[in-house]
Amino acid sequence: KTKNGGNLRCPIVCVLGHVDHGKTTLLDKIRKTRVAKREAGGITQHIGASEIPIDVIKRVCGDLLNMLKADLKIPGLLVIDTPGHEAFTSLRKRGGALADIAILVVDINEGFKPQTIEAVNILRQCKTPFVVAANKIDLIPGWNSKEMPFILNFNEKNQHPNALTEFEIRLYENVIKPLNELGFEADLYSRVQDVTKTVCIVPVSAVTGEGIPDLLMMVAGLAQKFLEDRLKLNVEGYAKGTILEVKEERGLGTTIDAIIYDGIAKRGDYLVVGLPDGVLVTRVKALLKPKPLDEMRDPRDKFKPVNEVTAAAGVKIAAPDLDKVIAGCPIRIVPKDKIEEAKEEVMREVEEAKIEVDDEGILIKADTLGSLEALANELRKAGVKIKKAEVGDVTKKDVIEVASYKQSNPLYGAIVAFNVKILPEAQKEIEKYGIKVFVDNIIYKLVEDFTEWVKKEEE
Ligand code: GTP
Ligand code: MG
Ligand code: NA
């Protein structure tokens, strides 16, 4: 038995929805963090992760928990934040596939948008149950929004009749109706009789905090219910995970931040990493856990060393030889006799995620496999040919390679790089060969800048 209460697996909750409908802000409100405010371009461009412990859920929900018919036995929730920008379909798919349950965030005033529909289709495909957070209710004309359960604020005493009418119209037109059109029964959560047949809609405001108790109560209750049904409550076997980020840490060298979505990771076991050009096997020197309620990507506090980590969880891993490892790669943490099995698994996963390239074209670089995939897809949509796609900084070798692409077509003498650095050694070569390099930390800006350049060059 593990310390998180008898081998109960912590459910993974994926937050999905259209760009700017409020996913990150909603999590910020729950965590009391300010992640959304610090994001480049105001958009999320990576998968994030944070743990919400059960005592926080119980405290926030208070008496609302009586609405659930069962006691909460889960140790908490591992919440995965995803980008809503259209470029990041692959990250949404990965998030949706990892999740036990999802929160679909919809701006109740804007209604369903392309990535809302895409998210529903991903969830349908993965058979992932979901609740809808109908966000931004504070913007409903006349709505008196307060930091309290929605269910206690939704009445004629607290709201003007016109505001209640506006709410009902938006709820129906912008959330229920589009869900019906996609083949889902849906209703305000308090009106739902059977949660296995009808999608529950929880009105919330990420700004005022209204409805967050209702949302956490529904998500925790549903996660527990669906996990029990799927008999996925017990954790056993070796750890399976995905790398979120590769980071230098003082005193630890190169470390990886990962999500463990299944099994148990033990210090001293072997870390098996699937890479685009092979498999790395190394030994786990340290496992470090982020503080509860911290976003792993942007933590407020130091990580704490532990001997073992039980899924689902975020974890920092220190081990030798991690400098060639890249974000987005699959990992396993296994005892010695399982190394071969783990190698085969990660190799299969890497093969499935490979980016197709053209016979000729430009070179693209990005900071993670997920963003590289997103960048490649966006450039393809714009008709751009890609000869090579790699994770990592722009090196001298890259520039020399692109100089050879340029000989066949001047428009191929370009590097498009997302969220990485141009190494100093590469700078001289860029000038020498007249290579055009586009670097930005906002993915759609890169695509715009590059296609604009091509247009100008063609004139
Ligand atoms: P991506 O990750 O880029 O897809 O966006 P997101 O869904 O995470 O949205 P984000 O949290 O970045 O919020 C987008 C904007 O909406 C920000 O300016 C937020 O302050 C604002 N916002 C989010 N939730 C609410 C809300 O409930 N009410 C109001 N008034 N504004 C909100
Ligand atoms: Mg976001
Ligand atoms: Na945003």
Side-chain angles (χ1 to χ4, degrees):
K1 299 248 160 144
T2 55
K3 65 174 171 354
N4 68 10
N7 286 345
L8 281 190
R9 180 152 95 45
C10 174
I12 302 179
V13 181
C14 181
V15 185
L16 290 167
H18 194 75
V19 67
D20 282 349
H21 278 198
K23 299 173 289 295
T24 307
T25 308
L26 191 60
L27 296 179
D28 276 339
K29 190 71 187 176
I30 295 169
R31 298 180 300 225
K32 299 188 164 69
T33 52
R34 295 164 66 80
V35 174
K37 290 244 166 20
R38 288 209 286 269
E39 290 177 325
I43 61 169
T44 303
Q45 303 186 101
H46 294 97
I47 282 186
S50 38
E51 282 177 50
I52 309 178
I54 194 65
D55 47 306
V56 171
I57 295 171
K58 285 182 173 162
R59 192 172 67 231
V60 172
C61 294
D63 290 339
L64 268 193
L65 283 180
N66 297 333
M67 286 177 83
L68 294 177
K69 285 174 195 100
D71 282 340
L72 286 181
K73 287 176 285 185
I74 51 170
L77 298 167
L78 181 72
V79 183
I80 310 286
D81 190 13
T82 68
H85 188 272
E86 61 172 322
F88 296 95
T89 303
S90 64
L91 288 187
R92 284 188 290 277
K93 280 192 181 147
R94 208 159 298 147
L98 282 182
D100 298 300
I101 183 171
I103 300 174
L104 179 69
V105 177
V106 185
D107 179 338
I108 195 169
N109 310 290
E110 272 205 354
F112 272 53
K113 292 280 170 183
Q115 274 59 56
T116 323
I117 297 170
E118 186 202 83
V120 171
N121 288 329
I122 289 169
L123 295 172
R124 191 203 318 263
Q125 214 169 32
C126 302
K127 296 192 169 65
T128 306
F130 63 98
V131 300
V132 173
N135 192 29
K136 308 200 186 185
I137 54 169
D138 59 292
L139 297 180
I140 294 172
W143 192 264
N144 177 18
S145 189
K146 284 194 195 124
E147 182 154 27
M148 63 188 289
F150 169 81
I151 204 69
L152 301 180
N153 197 30
F154 174 54
N155 54 51
E156 272 145 26
K157 209 173 92 237
N158 292 22
Q159 306 297 338
H160 192 277
N162 291 351
L164 288 170
T165 307
E166 276 294 334
F167 167 78
E168 293 290 356
I169 291 172
R170 279 157 210 241
L171 178 72
Y172 181 72
E173 291 294 329
N174 294 344
V175 189
I176 296 179
K177 202 165 120 198
L179 275 167
N180 289 164
E181 282 163 6
L182 290 166
F184 290 91
E185 288 298 315
D187 211 340
L188 187 61
Y189 83 91
S190 52
R191 298 172 184 156
V192 169
Q193 304 282 336
D194 182 349
V195 296
T196 62
K197 296 205 174 82
T198 307
V199 173
C200 291
I201 303 167
V202 186
V204 296
S205 166
V207 167
T208 66
E210 181 177 354
I212 284 176
D214 316 56
L215 182 65
L216 285 178
M217 184 262 301
M218 282 313 290
V219 169
L222 279 180
Q224 179 162 306
K225 178 171 176 45
F226 283 109
L227 278 177
E228 266 169 349
D229 290 352
R230 290 178 174 193
L231 296 173
K232 277 160 80 180
L233 271 173
N234 290 322
V235 197
E236 50 193 39
Y238 57 72
K240 302 178 178 182
T242 297
I243 301 177
L244 291 183
E245 214 164 355
V246 183
K247 271 191 197 151
E248 273 311 307
E249 295 283 349
R250 245 225 232 135
L252 292 172
T254 309
T255 66
I256 57 178
D257 290 351
I259 296 177
I260 303 297
Y261 57 81
D262 198 12
I264 302 167
K266 294 183 178 135
R267 188 166 65 95
D269 270 357
Y270 293 85
L271 172 68
V272 180
V273 186
L275 295 168
D277 53 1
V279 179
L280 169 79
V281 181
T282 177
R283 195 119 189 218
V284 176
K285 207 166 63 183
L287 294 170
L288 300 116
K289 288 267 297 164
K291 279 272 173 64
L293 295 178
D294 263 7
E295 169 60 78
M296 266 199 106
R297 286 200 163 273
D298 190 7
R300 290 169 294 198
D301 249 315
K302 274 234 166 82
F303 289 38
K304 189 176 120 233
V306 291
N307 285 325
E308 111 180 12
V309 173
T310 303
V315 64
K316 181 184 284 297
I317 303 168
D321 306 320
L322 289 179
D323 21 290
K324 290 238 161 56
V325 163
I326 58 186
C329 288
I331 61 166
R332 299 290 184 271
I333 296 164
V334 299
K336 198 167 189 174
D337 62 319
K338 296 282 185 196
I339 291 177
E340 286 312 311
E341 190 180 326
K343 271 181 165 176
E344 274 170 34
E345 281 180 18
V346 295
M347 273 189 322
R348 216 177 307 129
E349 266 186 54
V350 167
E351 207 47 52
E352 283 163 14
K354 271 232 169 93
I355 294 170
E356 299 237 359
V357 290
D358 305 299
D359 294 336
E360 48 175 27
I362 61 165
L363 171 69
I364 68 169
K365 307 224 54 167
D367 60 340
T368 72
L369 278 184
S371 52
L372 187 67
E373 226 175 323
L375 180 60
N377 288 338
E378 287 304 288
L379 287 166
R380 280 251 163 68
K381 271 199 248 160
V384 178
K385 284 217 152 84
I386 300 161
K387 170 129 172 114
K388 199 166 183 185
E390 267 181 359
V391 170
D393 292 327
V394 178
T395 64
K396 181 173 160 185
K397 195 176 136 265
D398 291 335
V399 180
I400 293 168
E401 185 162 350
V402 172
S404 76
Y405 303 174
K406 193 184 171 187
Q407 285 175 345
S408 69
N409 182 341
L411 291 179
Y412 295 154
I415 301 175
V416 175
F418 171 71
N419 222 13
V420 293
K421 291 195 289 281
I422 301 177
L423 296 181
E425 45 151 57
Q427 200 57 55
K428 240 212 222 128
E429 310 296 315
I430 289 171
E431 283 152 32
K432 182 169 150 199
Y433 293 106
I435 300 302
K436 195 76 193 162
V437 183
F438 298 84
V439 192
D440 209 302
N441 59 1
I442 303 173
I443 209 156
Y444 63 84
K445 270 208 71 220
L446 264 180
V447 179
E448 271 172 26
D449 290 350
F450 179 71
T451 48
E452 222 160 85
W453 174 74
V454 170
K455 223 188 268 160
K456 270 212 197 103
E457 291 294 300
E458 279 173 343
E459 273 167 14

